[in-house]
Amino acid sequence: MYEPIRTKSVHSMAEPTPDFPHRSREEELDIRLAGHLTALLTVTDELRTLTPDPTLDDAAQRLAEQATRLRDGHAPLRAAPTASATDPAHIAALHQRAHTLAGWALVVATSRDDTAATTLAAERMRSHATALGLAA
């Protein structure tokens, strides 16, 4: 009824060392966390332009430091903010986006046991939740 396969699997015949690099789970998490923090930094820079605040300046500095650390010393690219309107709905949308990005960063930072990034992401989430009126 059943005849065993007598030929080698195509997977076992493949090269013992693949010709493309593989990253570890930790490296993948570093890349993902750096991406989330850089995106959060971009939104924070936009908010800093629309609503100048020393706490946002401090947050931007800390986000840039963490992203640089995760990217092996390469500082994240920072675009010049484009928004010029001070429409409350636009500012609220930016805070909502920042809150979401901080949440994503918090999940990744927690999964990789990065205390500094976890603390920063939680602080940013709390700050943007307060700005949105979500925190009590």
Side-chain angles (χ1 to χ4, degrees), residues 10-123:
V10 294
H11 299 290
S12 67
M13 292 188 294
E15 296 178 38
T17 56
D19 60 348
F20 54 90
H22 288 282
R23 288 187 277 246
S24 68
R25 180 177 187 274
E26 291 77 23
E27 291 170 323
E28 290 291 340
L29 289 174
D30 284 350
I31 292 167
R32 183 172 289 175
L33 181 56
H36 291 321
L37 292 177
T38 302
L40 181 56
L41 175 60
T42 301
V43 176
T44 301
D45 283 341
E46 192 85 18
L47 283 167
R48 287 175 52 217
T49 300
L50 297 174
T51 57
D53 183 358
T55 59
L56 288 174
D57 295 339
D58 178 56
Q61 178 64 31
R62 292 173 59 208
L63 287 166
E65 289 170 1
Q66 289 299 315
T68 300
R69 177 182 61 86
L70 291 165
R71 298 178 72 228
D72 296 325
H74 299 338
L77 296 176
R78 295 178 77 170
T82 57
S84 60
T86 56
D87 178 27
H90 179 68
I91 292 171
L94 287 173
H95 279 293
Q96 181 61 51
R97 178 73 179 146
H99 184 265
T100 301
L101 288 166
W104 291 346
L106 179 62
V107 169
V108 177
T110 301
S111 73
R112 65 180 297 279
D113 292 328
D114 187 331
T115 306
T118 300
T119 302
L120 178 58
E123 287 174 7

